[in-house]
Amino acid sequence: MAELDPAEKIKELAATLASVTAVVDVDAMRTEIAELREQSADPELWADQENAQKVTRRLSSLESTVNKLGLIGQRLDDLGVLYELAESEDDADTRVEADRELEQLRKEIGELEVRTLLNGPHDEHEALVTINSQAGGVDAADWAQMLQRMYLRWAERHGYSTDIFETSYAEEAGIKSTSFAVRAPFAYGTLRGEHGTHRLVRISPFDNQNRRQTSFAGVDVVPVVEQSDHIDIDETELRVDVYRSSGPGGQGVNTTDSAVRITHPATGIVVSCQNERSQLQNKATAMSMLQAKLLARKREEEQAALDEIRGESTSSWGTQMRNYVLHPYQSVKDVRTGAETGNTTGVLDGDIDDFIDAEIRWMRSRERNGESG
């Protein structure tokens, strides 16, 4: 089949953009933007800092989406003119510039199209990400810290704010665990496919014989719960421990025992927070994290019950997740979607959008086919 000419490619992209615009309902977005602007102009809003920040984040996200859709539409129009100019002037440089812009627009519209697939019950929420080092000793601890940096860099690339609630440092290098929130609408729907075991193969920097080492880290992603998702917790059944916050090498961060660890005996779930100076604030944040974990557990139990009724396997698709090979060759490959790249440096620096897009499409395909997970 002959390749489409630029005009036809632009027409196809314009049709996709129109579809995306209809699905996200730009008119409704504009109405909500007007309401949020009115709320943000009210001085009383800032009496509740947490709600004020939620309003301003939502407003910023909606404005960004509407502006981006409008800008992409304008760029598509300009691109048609650019190709006409290249043709009339027989200008090879202009044609290269137009081809480059066409490819960039294809990628950006594809990302917007994937966003329309985020329609799960909690997809629009912010995300709580927890990373734990697993098998592999000091290499696994180092690997867990590399993954933490990868996700924080990904969030930074997109302009998303993050809050690191707790980090438990390993003795020699790296971290035992960490928990942090990604403060962006649809962060959970975007990142939930990252849940699972991440496997690293490399020459260990901690082995004086330069042997190849395989190490593992687990990534857990749950939605940050809203009040409507509230799960009743009997605080008398909780075990609350306070301790002194610490940083790498055991250096004290606070001079008081302000860090808080909460254990939920009924489920064995343990959460902790040490990023605030106030013990009260740390406890409130830890309780919010516990809410998120309990909600995720509830959803897993409900899904397991449905799977049992259907007679389906309850094994999680997230268990075997992604392989990162740095030696003897360079490759990052998702074992579920087949997405793969040799640009390991870029991936570890947060360039994981292609993997995330493939995950979202893969998960939606499975859900449409009635598969578990």
Side-chain angles (χ1 to χ4, degrees), residues 10-27 29 69 72-73 76 109-110 112-117 361:
I10 293 172
K11 185 176 179 181
E12 282 194 355
L13 288 178
T16 302
L17 182 62
S19 176
V20 169
T21 302
V23 170
V24 301
D25 197 346
V26 171
D27 289 338
M29 281 187 169
L69 286 167
I72 287 178
L76 278 174
I109 292 173
L112 288 170
E113 186 180 21
V114 168
R115 170 71 176 271
T116 66
L117 299 175
R361 295 181 188 276

Side-chain angles (χ1 to χ4, degrees), residues 72 75-76 79 101-109:
I72 287 178
R75 286 167 61 193
L76 278 174
L79 183 58
E101 173 71 350
L102 178 64
E103 179 57 25
Q104 183 62 32
L105 283 168
R106 183 199 63 75
K107 181 178 180 181
E108 292 181 24
I109 292 173

